[in-house]
RNA sequence: GCCCCGGUAGCUCAGUUGGAUAGAGCAGCCGCCUCCUAAGCGGCAGGUCAGACGUUCGAGUCGUCUUCGGGGCGCCA
């Protein structure tokens, strides 16, 4: 409907250009059409005349009048008016609104979808937390956001592939391996040490226990040494411990434990995600780019293009050439590659798979990496514009007023799994997505638990369940709807409000998808639910005269459908009873 | 010191790319179940949009500065 209004305005403007009242160059790329805030100002309004007034040297209201006069007639427009400083308000014909109900009932779960004019093929990477511990509440936000975004974009008509990038090699995995070794020792009745810097959480014991069950017989502990952990910085102690454990167990046995821990951890994470309905299309392991040689190729590309140099025994990438604030190390002076190096190879891999855009959802703590990653893509000869990186702000966890620190290494965190256990998948997802991504999120556990019955998600679900209930009643009373969809007489205000809201659903999907803002859907559903609950309280649907009754049944069925479509995007269930 | 995000009702947050008289939920107060689910509805009250200046017909929205809060600035991941 919005597009149709815009179309009318465009035709009018074109005519004025032809008549010499306006010049083509003055026209904006997109003609503004909005919903007036106040009732009585029409269904749609455009401030186009206000914008054009200055550049064309005409008074806004005069110009608005010319535009209005040149508007082509359209059956769905009841009337137009010039209002305020020069707005053109559009009043939609009641009949056109009523037809929206039919439209929803014809299109069903397709209503509101495929609203994008030129669909893209998109690769969306999100979560990608290191497999060194279960997901915590902070990761949950990225997971809920990313998954909802994927659903939203698909719904709007884009083609989306989702991926999880796993850092499966490097020091962190060694530390995880050592941590599991220590807990395994404990299970064998030996004395183990778990100094600071080694993963402390209970989940490490669980991994060790599963390892023992599966592979306990294959491990030869031999003489367990006394581990030296004195002196040096935290990092030095940890590195020394890794060496000691490797020497003691031998590379083969250590690798066995390390790789088991990795696989086990990945499974835990996969299960954590599944518990809130998040499933990635693919999982990409960092080791893939090393084994395939892509890592070397990537570095060669940069070298060939002349953006690498050596200094202080390390190999640097000239990211400052592309707007980064300083150059970055690719190969450390000890010969090891940084994670940045394999990240470059991975992102080149993604950009070369044939998507229009590659979208990354990163935690806000990674914002310093955007410039260097885009720099690397450019240096390697790719169009960095195709890589879109979006940040999701942190979720800080509170228990009442008490802030809960979150550290995987220290084992202090509230896991996502615990959260979902306590407040459920639907409430968890809705809570996360209710905030726009660039807003800090204070997740108060006490509150989330105590107000769980007042969570907006139940308000929306309740609307859906209530409608289901009306249809159950209808069956019980043996009521059979006629197939006609006309409304006898005039619609009431509550009905029109509801229909207007339904008619906006496609616009909301378009807007939310365009802005990558899933929260718009959540707020829309809440508003739709409000309109429905109002309507429900105002009229007795089943007690009306058959023609009116049947129209209202169609109306709430349309509401039910839109609620279901919207909840599907959020990954929240649409229950039939509550 | 530099960079990113934020500051809107007592609390948690929206605010449709600069528009008309700034909204919702929770908390508070007053009403509504003989009736399809009261996890609901109606009403009241609640605001210097952190502050200042600027841009213009018009600013919660854009710019500069100040201030407060969160995060980031490594041959860590």
């Amino acid at each position: 409907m919005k597009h149709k209004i815009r179309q009318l305005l465009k035709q009018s403007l074109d005519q004025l250009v032809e008549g010499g009242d306006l010049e083509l160059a003055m026209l904006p790329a997109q003609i503004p059409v909005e919903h007036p805030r106040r009732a009585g100002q029409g269904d749609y309004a455009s401030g186009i005349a206000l914008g054009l007034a200055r550049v064309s040297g005409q008074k806004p209201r005069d110009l608005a009048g010319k535009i209005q006069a040149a508007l082509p007639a359209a059956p769905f427009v009841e009337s137009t008016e010039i209002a305020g400083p020069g707005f053109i308000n559009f009043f939609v014909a009641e009949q056109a609104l009523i037809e929206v109900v039919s439209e929803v009932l014809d299109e069903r779960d397709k209503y509101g979808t495929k609203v994008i004019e030129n669909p893209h093929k998109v690769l969306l990477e999100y979560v990608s937390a290191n497999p060194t511990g279960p997901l915590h509440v902070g990761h949950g936000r990225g997971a809920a956001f990313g998954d909802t975004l994927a659903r939203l974009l698909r719904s709007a008509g884009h083609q989306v592939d989702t991926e999880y990038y796993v850092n499966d090699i490097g020091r962190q995995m060694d530390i995880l391996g050592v941590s599991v070794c220590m807990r395994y020792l404990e299970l064998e009745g030996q004395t183990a040490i778990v100094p600071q810097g080694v993963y402390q959480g209970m989940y490490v014991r669980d991994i060790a226990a599963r390892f023992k069950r599966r592979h306990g017989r294959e491990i030869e502990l031999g003489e367990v040494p006394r581990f030296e952990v004195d002196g040096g910085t935290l990092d030095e102690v940890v590195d020394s411990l890794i060496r000691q454990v490797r020497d003691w167990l031998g590379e083969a046995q250590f690798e066995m434990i390390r790789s088991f821990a990795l696989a086990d951890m990945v499974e835990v994470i996969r299960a954590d995600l599944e518990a809130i309905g998040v499933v990635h299309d693919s999982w990409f392991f960092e080791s893939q780019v090393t084994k395939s040689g892509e890592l070397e190729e990537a570095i060669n590309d940069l070298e060939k293009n002349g953006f690498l140099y050596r200094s202080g025994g390390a190999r640097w990438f000239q990211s400052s050439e592309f707007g980064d604030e300083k150059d970055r190390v690719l190969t450390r002076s000890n010969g090891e590659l940084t994670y940045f190096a394999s990240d470059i190879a991975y992102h080149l891999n993604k950009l070369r798979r044939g998507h229009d855009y590659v979208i990354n959802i990163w935690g806000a703590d990674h914002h310093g990496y955007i410039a260097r990653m885009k720099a690397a893509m450019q240096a390697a000869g790719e169009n960095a514009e195709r890589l879109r990186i979006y940040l999701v702000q942190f979720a800080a966890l509170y228990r009442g007023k008490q802030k809960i620190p979150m550290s995987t290494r220290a084992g202090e965190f509230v896991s996502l799994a615990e959260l979902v256990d306590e407040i459920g998948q639907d409430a968890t997802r809705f809570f996360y997505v209710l905030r726009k991504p660039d807003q800090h999120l204070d997740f108060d556990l006490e509150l989330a638990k105590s107000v769980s019955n007042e969570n907006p998600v139940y308000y929306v679900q309740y609307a859906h369940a209530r409608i289901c209930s009306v249809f159950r009643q209808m069956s019980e009373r043996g009521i059979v709807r006629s197939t006609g969809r006309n409304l006898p007489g005039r619609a009431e205000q509550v009905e029109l409000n509801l229909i207007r809201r339904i008619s906006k659903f496609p616009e909301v999907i378009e807007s939310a998808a365009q802005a990558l803002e899933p929260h718009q859907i959540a707020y829309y559903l809440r508003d739709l639910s409000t309109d429905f609950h109002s309507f429900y309280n105002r009229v007795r649907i089943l007690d009306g005269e058959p023609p009116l009754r049947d129209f209202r049944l169609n109306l709430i069925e349309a509401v039910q459908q839109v609620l279901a479509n919207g909840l599907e995007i959020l990954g929240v269930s649409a229950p039939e009873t509550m």
Side-chain angles (χ1 to χ4, degrees), chain A residues 22 277 507 557:
Chain A
L22 290 171
E507 294 166 22
E557 191 179 353

Side-chain angles (χ1 to χ4, degrees), chain A residues 122-131 135 138-154 160-167 269-270 272-285 346-347 350 353 357-364 366 387-392 416 425 429 432-433 437 516 518 568-571:
Chain A
V122 174
L123 177 59
L124 177 65
E125 182 213 327
Y126 65 104
V127 189
S128 298
N130 286 334
L135 297 182
H139 299 128
R141 183 175 193 190
F145 178 76
D147 182 64
T148 308
L149 187 59
R151 291 164 183 260
L152 170 62
L153 293 177
R154 281 176 185 141
V160 184
D161 296 314
T162 59
E163 186 158 286
Y164 189 120
Y165 178 61
V166 187
N167 289 113
I269 288 172
R270 206 194 292 267
D272 284 350
L273 289 172
E274 218 174 312
I276 51 167
V278 175
V279 178
H280 289 78
D281 294 325
S282 58
W283 292 62
F284 192 103
F285 291 82
Y346 170 56
H347 281 83
K350 287 200 292 186
R353 282 189 223 169
Y357 295 105
V358 171
I359 298 180
N360 286 0
I361 306 299
W362 282 353
H366 284 71
L387 175 63
R388 309 254 166 116
I389 301 176
Y390 296 94
L391 300 179
V392 174
L416 181 58
Q425 171 179 336
R429 286 192 67 129
Y432 275 130
V433 169
L516 304 186
E568 174 65 28
I569 291 173
L570 300 184

Side-chain angles (χ1 to χ4, degrees), chain A residues 178-228:
Chain A
V178 166
S179 311
V180 172
C181 285
M182 289 302 166
R183 295 306 182 189
Y184 181 73
L185 272 183
E186 279 182 352
L187 291 174
E188 292 295 319
Q190 307 272 0
T191 25
I193 53 158
V194 185
Q196 261 202 323
V198 165
Y199 298 116
Q200 309 280 333
M202 285 297 294
Y203 67 91
V204 181
R205 295 182 181 172
D206 297 338
I207 301 174
R210 287 192 286 267
F211 178 80
K212 182 177 154 86
R213 217 174 308 140
R214 195 87 57 83
H215 298 291
R217 293 214 176 84
E218 302 160 43
I219 288 285
E220 280 296 330
L221 286 181
E223 184 81 12
V224 180
R226 280 182 58 88
F227 298 106
E228 284 296 330

Side-chain angles (χ1 to χ4, degrees), chain A residues 236-248:
Chain A
E236 285 165 357
V237 168
V238 170
D239 284 337
S240 150
L241 191 61
I242 293 172
R243 275 195 304 277
Q244 293 174 56
V245 169
R246 283 192 136 127
D247 289 346
W248 154 53

Side-chain angles (χ1 to χ4, degrees), chain A residues 12-13 15-24 26-27 47-70 85-86 88:
Chain A
S12 165
L13 291 170
Q15 201 182 317
L16 291 182
V17 168
E18 227 163 282
D21 287 299
L22 290 171
E23 284 169 39
L24 195 60
M26 296 172 179
L27 304 187
I48 181 70
L50 296 164
L52 289 175
R54 193 177 333 157
V55 285
S56 70
Q58 305 182 52
K59 287 183 180 168
R61 285 193 68 109
D62 293 348
L63 184 56
K66 286 183 192 171
I67 296 172
Q68 183 190 28
I88 304 168

